[in-house]
């Protein structure tokens, strides 16, 4: 066994929380569960720790990180909240919503974490273990999804281990996550903007705002300079196997990512079949999405054929991740 390739995994509990907080204080990297996906945490005020985090993920340094904090009060120390932002925070925190806001003068989040932008992305996670770690540590924790850059996001500790073992200091295992897609990101600009669809459906946010969210400009989706949401990198969520969307039949040797109970011509010749939700439950489909993409990616199929998923509610986030997966890497 190669010790350099292993990272300790602790089951969620008091000891793991204390070890995680200690590790963060020492500038270490800790993977922990949030309700959306597993995050890879570092002390948001420690530029060396953040540099190691970018290195461990192989992430382009211009892609800024989300600062995770325990509550709205902590968030207001690092960013300016107007009435709209407060309404969103009160409606959805703790939970799968990230707000992009202008930094305060005293904001201690390192420039390296915000990629030099004068805005900062903030979220208050709902997962009890994430909350315990934030409380024990006592400061903002930056945490991108705990996967290698370009891979699909991890929804179990085993996914984290398969991407990052030996590259990070600790993994806290809290079992499978509940939501399964990353947080929704809203830019709190003059006109609030949907920077990334995610765990809170657009409609629920628009109901609180009393207005429609605007779309980012088209060129924000390109891998250039400083786009509005650099995480919109077209190739962000790609498995290695090609992904074919809106399949209405299966070609021999393809794997099927199904949705619903409809019949699929050619399914008998499929290399593997997994169903995101047989009874068309979009929340169940979101929770299964990344795990099933990983599992089918490991089957050596010639492609992963994906049945259409309806676009309402959480379907917008699911279809966004599937579209990125289909674009492939590079
Ligand atoms: O659910 C989640 O949000 C998970 C869990 C771990 O909290 N985190 C996550 O982080 O998905 P990450 O790093 O994979 O995605 C963060 C996204 C990226 O698309 C990044 O470009 C965007 O947030 N972002 C961060 N700061 C930003 C800013 N100031 N302006 C615009 N986009 C920003
Ligand atoms: Mg990510």
């Amino acid at each position: 066994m190669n010790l350099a390739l292993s990272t300790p995994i602790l089951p969620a509990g008091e000891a793991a929380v204390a070890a995680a907080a200690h590790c963060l204080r020492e500038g270490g990297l800790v993977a922990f569960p949030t309700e959306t996906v597993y995050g890879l945490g570092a002390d948001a005020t420690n530029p060396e720790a953040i540099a190691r985090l970018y290195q461990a993920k192989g992430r382009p340094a211009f892609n800024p990180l989300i600062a995770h904090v325990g509550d709205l009060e902590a968030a207001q120390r690092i960013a300016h909240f107007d009435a709209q932002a407060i309404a969103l925070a009160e409606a959805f925190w703790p939970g799968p919503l990230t707000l992009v806001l202008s930094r305060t003068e005293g904001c201690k989040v390192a420039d390296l974490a915000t990629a030099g932008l004068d805005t900062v992305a903030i979220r208050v996670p709902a997962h009890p273990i994430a909350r315990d770690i934030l409380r024990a540590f006592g400061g903002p924790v930056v945490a991108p999804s705990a996967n290698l850059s370009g891979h699909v996001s991890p929804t179990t500790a085993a996914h984290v281990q398969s991407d990052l073992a030996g590259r990070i200091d600790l993994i806290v295992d809290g079992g499978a996550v509940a939501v399964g897609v990353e947080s929704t990101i809203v830019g709190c600009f003059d006109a609030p903007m949907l920077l990334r669809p995610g765990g809170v459906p657009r409609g629920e946010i628009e109901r609180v705002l009393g207005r429609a969210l605007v779309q980012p400009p088209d060129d924000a989706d390109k891998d250039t300079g400083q786009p509005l949401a650099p995480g919109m990198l077209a190739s962000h969520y790609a498995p290695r196997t090609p992904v074919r969307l809106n399949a209405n039949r299966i070609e021999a040797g393809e794997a099927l990512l199904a949705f619903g109970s409809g019949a699929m011509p050619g399914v008998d010749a499929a290399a593997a079949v997994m169903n995101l939700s047989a009874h068309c439950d979009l929340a169940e489909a979101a929770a299964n999405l990344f795990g099933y993409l990983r599992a089918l990616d490991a089957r050596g199929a010639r492609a992963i054929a994906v049945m259409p998923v309806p676009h309402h509610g959480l379907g917008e986030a699911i279809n966004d991740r599937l579209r990125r997966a289909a674009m492939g890497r590079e």
Side-chain angles (χ1 to χ4, degrees):
M1 196 175 130
N2 185 347
L3 286 179
L5 286 179
S6 77
T7 291
I9 302 193
L10 293 177
E14 260 174 55
V17 167
H22 176 77
C23 185
L24 290 169
R25 254 176 244 123
E26 302 281 297
L29 305 180
V30 181
F32 60 89
T34 81
E35 73 279 21
T36 56
V37 299
Y38 273 71
L40 178 59
D43 176 354
T45 67
N46 180 338
E48 279 145 46
I50 295 160
R52 281 188 63 218
L53 188 155
Y54 281 121
Q55 218 172 19
K57 276 189 61 101
R59 160 173 269 203
F62 54 75
N63 204 350
L65 305 171
I66 297 171
H68 295 65
V69 295
D71 53 32
L72 175 57
E73 204 186 316
Q76 285 176 309
R77 283 196 282 274
I78 60 181
H80 295 291
F81 281 71
D82 60 12
Q84 262 186 171
I86 287 177
L88 291 177
E90 285 177 347
F92 299 109
W93 283 352
L97 175 69
T98 294
L99 299 177
V100 172
L101 302 153
S102 61
R103 300 171 59 124
T104 57
E105 286 275 302
C107 176
K108 294 205 171 70
V109 176
D111 285 332
L112 188 55
T114 55
L117 300 171
D118 53 18
T119 54
V120 59
I122 310 181
R123 163 164 128 76
V124 176
H127 195 291
I129 294 302
R131 299 183 64 70
D132 287 349
I133 291 173
L134 288 171
R135 199 174 305 116
F137 175 64
V141 170
V142 283
S145 49
N147 52 278
L148 286 173
S149 191
H151 285 193
V152 297
S153 293
T155 54
T156 66
H159 295 159
V160 178
Q161 196 186 28
S162 93
D163 266 24
L164 296 174
R167 302 169 76 98
I168 65 176
D169 301 298
L170 177 64
I171 300 172
V172 178
D173 185 354
V177 302
V179 177
V181 291
E182 299 86 345
S183 59
T184 302
I185 305 182
V186 171
C188 296
F189 313 134
D190 291 338
M193 192 178 279
L194 184 66
L195 296 174
R196 176 176 77 181
V200 180
R202 170 201 291 269
E204 291 185 22
I205 295 167
E206 294 180 334
R207 210 168 307 128
V208 169
L209 291 173
R211 64 195 284 189
L213 289 164
V214 300
Q215 288 297 115
D218 283 350
D219 59 358
D221 214 2
K222 305 238 170 66
D223 185 359
T224 53
Q226 298 236 312
L228 278 167
M232 304 177 124
L233 291 184
S235 62
H236 201 65
Y237 294 96
R240 291 174 193 83
T241 311
V243 173
R244 186 166 72 81
L245 299 181
N246 294 317
N248 51 21
R249 61 164 298 113
I250 290 293
E251 309 296 336
E254 286 186 329
L256 172 62
L257 187 61
F259 181 85
S261 54
M264 193 64 172
V267 70
D268 292 342
V273 180
M274 298 185 90
N275 197 328
L276 289 170
S277 175
H279 48 279
C280 298
D281 176 342
L282 288 166
E284 180 184 32
N288 288 331
L289 178 66
F290 289 132
Y292 286 8
L293 277 174
R294 271 180 193 263
L296 293 178
D297 196 19
R299 298 300 291 264
R302 37 180 261 233
I304 300 171
V306 185
M307 281 166 74
V309 174
H311 206 66
H312 59 81
L314 284 175
E316 184 175 7
I318 295 170
N319 283 321
D320 173 78
R321 305 310 187 268
L322 286 169
R323 187 173 56 81
R324 288 167 207 287
M327 284 189 216
R329 266 172 289 148
E330 254 101 18

